[in-house]
Amino acid sequence: MLKEAEIRPDELMKGQAERLANDVRRLMRHKEQFVAVPCPACDSRLSQPAYAKYELQFVTCAGCQTVYASPRPRPEHMDEYYSHSENYAYWNQYIFPASENARREKIFKPRVRKVLELCQRFGIRQDTLLEVGAGFGTFCQELGSTGAFKRVIGVEPTPELASTCRARGIEVIEKRIEDAELSEQVDVVVSFEVIEHLFSARDFLQKCHRLIRPGGVLMLTCPNVQGFDILTLGEKSSAVDHEHVNLFHPGSLAMLLTACGFEVIERQTPGQLDAELVRKQVLAGQHSLEHEPFLRRVLIEEWERLGEKFQAFLSDNLLSSNMLLVAKKPAHG
């Protein structure tokens, strides 16, 4: 079972928090220019307030229950933010190297196995795979080591991370996927924890649809706003932040994928940290279970006996706050 400290080492997170605060201040200089947007999943403009955090207002769509930031930074504000982010430079220099072994074994190797299993199950060609948001390069490197694909390409617009990927021998496109052009279509696109950051999730998925060869697949992971830790902690959840401007759930993301021409073939919530994240907030005095005797028993009093089983229940029943969806581009698409 994955533990939070394995991927976010406690001794390094104070330095990360300081740099994140600097990034937020820079982003909020543009606050007067932020723009109101409709629901990223269904385009409805009917909503009600959900959370307020980092000077952003999050609303819940009245139609599909997606939670999203509106008003939100414009695309040019987001581009500037990620290009000059102190936080991402810090992750690249300190947190990713310190946590890579755990991430490789417990996150990326299972994702590689999942991709290969999908290719076998659906008879998908294995010429080219594109990872959107290659980050530190661990997934591309791990997949490349299997020799399963003839070509593995990483898309990574953040300069420090793109440089790290290149240094690891990964073919990198240092642009947003929306601005990237390829000479031919690809068989598989994967994107881990990216779609929640984007100004227009619809534009992103439409571009993915154009890039994928008919019969190919798209695999996405992102937060599930209807998962346990987000529903329990609300705006205190680490998944609710100034970068995560789109907070889908399995139903609303599937609806958007379908609208963009995909056929959704799999939905999972494989998250492993929900119970631990809520437990840590309670132990730190940041969240109360005073009126939640059942959760107090599971998360505090009998944690050693029940914690892992409770997390497995959440993950197995679409109740975790991390979700994975697989969608296929129809062979005639």
Side-chain angles (χ1 to χ4, degrees):
M1 178 68 72
L2 181 68
K3 304 297 182 186
E4 186 187 17
E6 293 180 285
I7 60 171
R8 294 190 280 264
D10 292 338
E11 67 274 13
L12 295 176
M13 295 312 289
K14 181 180 179 183
Q16 181 268 340
E18 294 169 356
R19 287 156 178 81
L20 180 66
N22 292 339
D23 283 355
V24 172
R25 279 193 292 272
R26 277 193 296 273
L27 182 64
M28 290 305 158
R29 291 182 307 186
H30 304 294
K31 187 175 180 181
E32 296 302 316
Q33 301 172 48
F34 289 2
V35 292
V37 296
C39 172
C42 72
D43 269 342
S44 172
R45 289 191 178 271
L46 298 176
S47 64
Q48 57 189 21
Y51 312 125
K53 191 173 183 181
Y54 292 118
E55 298 187 53
L56 283 179
Q57 176 64 56
F58 292 83
V59 298
T60 302
C61 174
C64 71
Q65 304 303 303
T66 295
V67 175
Y68 59 101
S70 181
R72 66 176 54 182
R74 294 174 182 268
E76 58 267 29
H77 302 150
M78 292 183 170
D79 290 348
E80 178 189 82
Y81 174 88
Y82 290 111
S83 296
H84 300 91
S85 170
E86 292 183 29
N87 179 41
Y88 282 91
Y90 185 85
W91 275 82
N92 183 55
Q93 185 173 357
Y94 298 106
I95 300 177
F96 283 141
S99 62
E100 184 174 33
N101 288 341
R103 289 173 181 273
R104 183 184 298 276
E105 294 298 322
K106 298 188 178 183
I107 298 176
F108 290 111
K109 282 188 176 181
R111 287 175 176 173
V112 166
R113 290 194 293 269
K114 179 70 177 176
V115 167
L116 299 182
E117 182 267 326
L118 287 168
C119 290
Q120 183 176 22
R121 188 178 4 145
F122 293 102
I124 297 163
R125 286 172 50 172
Q126 293 176 225
D127 286 344
T128 306
L129 178 141
L130 183 75
E131 182 186 7
V132 182
F136 199 61
T138 310
F139 175 85
C140 285
Q141 189 180 57
E142 190 61 34
L143 180 67
S145 72
T146 69
F149 282 80
K150 296 176 183 176
R151 187 181 182 193
V152 177
I153 306 169
V155 175
E156 180 48 65
T158 301
E160 289 86 358
L161 292 170
S163 178
T164 294
C165 287
R166 278 192 292 269
R168 305 182 89 167
I170 298 165
E171 180 180 350
V172 181
I173 299 173
E174 193 176 327
K175 295 181 179 179
R176 300 184 315 141
I177 187 62
E178 293 87 347
D179 302 324
E181 296 298 333
L182 296 175
S183 59
E184 58 184 27
Q185 291 177 304
V186 304
D187 305 294
V188 179
V189 172
V190 299
S191 184
F192 307 122
E193 287 76 56
V194 169
I195 196 169
E196 65 270 25
H197 295 256
L198 304 177
F199 181 83
S200 175
R202 188 177 298 267
D203 288 352
F204 165 71
L205 292 178
Q206 289 172 340
K207 180 60 178 279
C208 289
H209 190 271
R210 292 194 295 272
L211 288 173
I212 294 172
R213 185 176 287 115
V217 296
L218 169 67
M219 187 167 90
L220 298 170
T221 65
C222 63
N224 168 23
V225 75
Q226 294 184 352
F228 175 71
D229 89 72
I230 299 179
L231 283 181
T232 303
L233 298 175
E235 69 274 6
K236 297 176 187 173
S237 168
S238 59
V240 179
D241 72 17
H242 65 292
E243 294 184 14
H244 294 175
V245 293
N246 311 304
L247 292 169
F248 299 102
H249 55 82
S252 68
L253 184 53
M255 178 176 61
L256 178 58
L257 283 160
T258 301
C260 291
F262 289 99
E263 174 193 353
V264 177
I265 56 178
E266 199 166 311
R267 309 182 199 189
Q268 299 178 7
T269 59
Q272 301 178 58
L273 296 177
D274 302 71
E276 183 191 359
L277 291 171
V278 175
R279 169 182 162 85
K280 287 179 74 170
Q281 293 257 20
V282 174
L283 293 175
Q286 297 169 347
H287 183 76
S288 174
L289 295 179
E290 181 181 356
H291 302 296
E292 300 281 357
F294 174 79
L295 290 182
R296 181 162 190 85
R297 179 179 178 185
V298 172
L299 299 179
I300 305 299
E301 296 167 0
E302 298 191 49
W303 173 252
E304 296 300 325
R305 184 172 75 89
L306 298 175
E308 204 165 304
K309 296 175 184 176
F310 182 65
Q311 182 62 54
F313 168 78
L314 297 174
S315 301
D316 292 344
N317 290 281
L318 289 181
L319 297 172
S320 166
S321 291
N322 174 268
M323 63 176 171
L324 181 153
L325 270 70
V326 181
K328 195 169 189 282
K329 181 173 177 176
H332 54 78

